Amino acid sequence: MSTTTWRPLAVVLLCGTIAGWTTQGWRKDVAIAELQRAAASDKITAASALRQATARVLTLERAAGAALAQRADHLTQEQTHAKTERDRFNADVRSGAVRLSVPVASGQCAATADTAAAAGHRIEARAELDPSTAAALDAIAGDGDDATRQLNACIDAYNLVRDTYHVQTE
């Protein structure tokens, strides 16, 4: 073959290559544009899902905060009521309106059969407490009751948060 026959063939091949390359570039550009549209759509969907999840969590957080504040108010009311009752009790003990006593061990052996005790008519020896001792014992009991109320409120708060946010503990 002569060079004159190769030139038109080379031109045709070159033109075909350029046309193929251009077509491939257009298809690539279309594919890239489609991927960009899909990515933009996914981004919008993700942003919408994030807004909804954030709103849901904020709603849960507000509800939990309100419930915790309500529980704290209830604890304060319980403590105030208990303090009022203790103050009233101590005032009654100091005035003599209420007298406290404790059983006193007798000299009898507990194993001895007592027919009166068996019948439920046993008279028990008791010692009366002075008002300051009674107030001290009541203060100890009151502190224990306050601690129990506080711990119960703490447990309630823990359970509220766990249930609100659906936290699973192991």
Side-chain angles (χ1 to χ4, degrees), residues 124-141:
E124 185 175 52
R126 300 192 66 80
E128 187 174 334
L129 298 176
D130 63 40
S132 63
T133 303
L137 289 175
D138 184 58
I140 292 169

Side-chain angles (χ1 to χ4, degrees), residues 12-72:
V12 169
L13 285 175
L14 182 61
C15 287
T17 303
I18 291 172
W21 192 284
T22 304
T23 304
Q24 185 64 18
W26 289 335
R27 287 189 350 197
K28 176 187 59 95
D29 290 344
V30 168
I32 289 172
E34 182 59 36
L35 286 173
Q36 287 174 335
R37 278 192 295 277
S41 175
D42 289 347
K43 185 177 179 181
I44 291 169
T45 302
S48 176
L50 178 62
R51 274 193 306 277
Q52 290 173 353
T54 301
R56 183 176 52 82
V57 168
L58 288 175
T59 300
L60 289 173
E61 193 175 270
R62 281 187 218 105
L68 288 172
Q70 183 180 11
R71 181 61 189 119

Side-chain angles (χ1 to χ4, degrees), residues 130-154:
D130 63 40
S132 63
T133 303
L137 289 175
D138 184 58
I140 292 169
D143 289 346
D145 290 345
D146 286 344
T148 300
R149 273 190 292 281
Q150 290 172 355
L151 288 174
N152 284 336
C154 186

Side-chain angles (χ1 to χ4, degrees), residues 103-126:
V104 178
S106 64
Q108 299 175 352
C109 178
T112 307
D114 186 354
T115 56
H121 299 292
R122 183 171 177 209
I123 298 176
E124 185 175 52
R126 300 192 66 80

